[in-house]
């Protein structure tokens, strides 16, 4: 697999479920967040900048739910950077069922980088463009 894409595995537990016995829609946000943290951990290009007082802040999230996930399902969360613009970037996610390979959900998250001291958006040019540009991949299938 492309090293610019990270994979995180999640097992569906009882506390992830809603009254209908499938993963509550809000829990997918946590699965996606796990994927993004794994992505940052795997890419020092991102992690080093964040360690210097820059925060990745979500400004828009779109999720397409495709299949219900239920108790004890093992899920794979694939995370990648699919766009870097002047002021924002987009992270792509795919959540698939490990046993069947079926797509459970696909998501895109638009983010900005925020200087935690000044509260200002950090432009994604210069150093940040050099750091993040090489990490961009084509949008994952299904999204």
């Amino acid at each position: 697999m492309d090293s610019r894409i990270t994979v995180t595995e999640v097992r569906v537990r009882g506390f992830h479920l809603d009254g209908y016995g499938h993963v509550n829609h809000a829990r997918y946000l946590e699965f996606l967040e796990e994927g993004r943290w794994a992505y940052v951990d795997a890419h020092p290009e991102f992690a080093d900048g964040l360690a210097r007082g820059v925060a990745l802040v979500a400004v828009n999230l779109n999720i397409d739910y495709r299949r219900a996930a239920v108790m004890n399902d093992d899920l794979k969360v694939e995370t990648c950077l699919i766009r870097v613009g002047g002021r924002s970037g987009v992270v792509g996610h795919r959540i698939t069922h490990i046993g069947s390979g079926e797509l459970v959900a696909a998501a895109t998250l638009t983010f900005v980088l925020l200087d935690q001291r000044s509260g200002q958006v950090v432009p994604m040019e210069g150093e940040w463009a050099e750091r993040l540009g090489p990490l961009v991949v084509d949008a994952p299938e299904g999204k």
Side-chain angles (χ1 to χ4, degrees):
M1 177 171 279
D2 189 325
S3 65
R4 298 172 298 170
I5 301 170
T6 59
V7 175
T8 305
E9 293 185 7
V10 176
R11 172 159 281 193
V12 175
R13 304 293 185 189
F15 65 90
H16 294 131
L17 306 180
D18 60 18
Y20 300 107
H22 62 296
V23 174
N24 180 281
H25 69 280
R27 292 296 186 162
Y28 286 99
L29 299 175
E30 295 171 5
F31 298 167
L32 300 176
E33 186 80 14
E34 285 289 338
R36 284 190 302 281
W37 279 106
Y39 185 88
V40 168
D41 288 345
H43 296 95
E45 304 90 327
F46 232 127
D48 293 347
L50 297 179
R52 290 187 288 163
V54 174
L56 186 154
V57 178
V59 295
N60 183 277
L61 175 65
N62 291 290
I63 303 175
D64 293 323
Y65 300 100
R66 305 286 180 89
R67 172 196 186 279
V70 297
M71 178 81 105
N72 294 324
D73 276 354
D74 290 314
L75 305 177
K76 175 173 70 170
V77 181
E78 295 175 77
T79 304
C80 60
L81 187 60
I82 60 174
R83 187 180 70 75
V84 174
R87 293 180 49 89
S88 65
V90 178
V91 173
H93 294 282
R94 284 176 41 88
I95 301 176
T96 55
H97 184 270
I98 290 175
S100 70
E102 289 180 86
L103 182 63
V104 174
T108 55
L109 177 127
T110 303
F111 68 93
V112 297
L113 298 175
L114 190 72
D115 182 307
Q116 293 180 319
R117 285 178 227 99
S118 70
Q120 298 297 309
V121 171
V122 176
M124 291 193 207
E125 52 194 31
E127 178 187 356
W128 277 104
E130 291 172 19
R131 284 175 181 268
L132 302 183
L135 296 176
V136 174
V137 299
D138 291 332
E141 267 184 55
K143 192 62 199 156

